[in-house]
Amino acid sequence: VVVLAGFMVVDHRRFRAGFLRFAPPGARDIVARQWDQVQERVGGYVAGMVLISAEKGIVFTTALWLMGVPSALLLGLLAAVLNFIPYVGFWSVFLLAEMLAFNADPMKAVWVFALFLGHEWFKSGFLGPYLMGRTMKLHPAVVLLAMFLALYPAVMPSSTNPAFDLTVSNASSSPYTLGIMSWVALFGMPGVLAYQAWKFWVFRKRL
């Protein structure tokens, strides 16, 4: 997907001309406008991926160098380049960094694990949607919704076997537990809201 998107950005004129040949003559103006909008979004996607990869390379190189992990610059460059390959790129760099860190000092391997876990959480939950939203001119909430719909029903896909995916069904509680919590929320939420309203009313004036 990333390679195709890159070709569409670099050689967009040829792609556009070839695509319009398949459109009916009377609809080519409409198709051309739609293509230009798609081209703008694809260009934004590629730009967002480049920015995320650059940030990842700089952060990993700096952090691993400060930790004293061998070949920090190489690991940072690999993290930036392989960021374009989902799952495989992350796990390849992670395992290589873990082996190098553990060989130097087992405690460094723990810090490397925390670095990769924290950065992946930050990238997926905040940085990625923000940069993609800015470059593709979409709201971050739309980007998060698109990511959720693309993964559905998986919530956290497994990198080893799809049978181990964390899905919406196996990640949720049992129907009995959900039923109990629904009744608790139904009767408990009005009390919480009433308490909050009373608290704001009591402290509405400055002390």
Side-chain angles (χ1 to χ4, degrees), residues 87-174:
Y87 304 119
V88 176
F90 171 82
W91 285 106
S92 300
V93 180
F94 170 71
L95 292 176
L96 181 58
E98 279 289 306
M99 287 189 294
L100 291 173
F102 187 84
N103 187 52
D105 183 357
M107 193 60 195
K108 291 181 180 180
V110 177
W111 287 110
V112 168
F113 176 82
L115 170 66
F116 275 76
L117 182 64
H119 185 272
E120 193 66 19
W121 173 79
F122 173 72
K123 186 195 77 171
S124 301
F126 298 94
L127 182 65
Y130 174 75
L131 289 179
M132 286 298 181
R134 291 295 298 270
T135 56
M136 298 178 68
K137 299 180 180 179
L138 296 172
H139 195 277
V142 177
V143 179
L144 285 173
L145 179 61
M147 292 170 60
F148 175 78
L149 293 177
L151 291 174
Y152 186 85
V155 177
M156 182 179 294
S158 172
S159 59
T160 58
N161 192 333
F164 301 145
D165 286 351
L166 188 64
T167 64
V168 175
S169 58
N170 63 28
S172 62
S173 298
S174 64

Side-chain angles (χ1 to χ4, degrees), residues 1-8 45-46 49 83-86:
V1 175
V2 176
V3 174
L4 179 60
F7 275 114
M8 290 179 65
Y45 169 76
V46 174
M49 288 295 295
N83 182 61
F84 291 93
I85 307 176

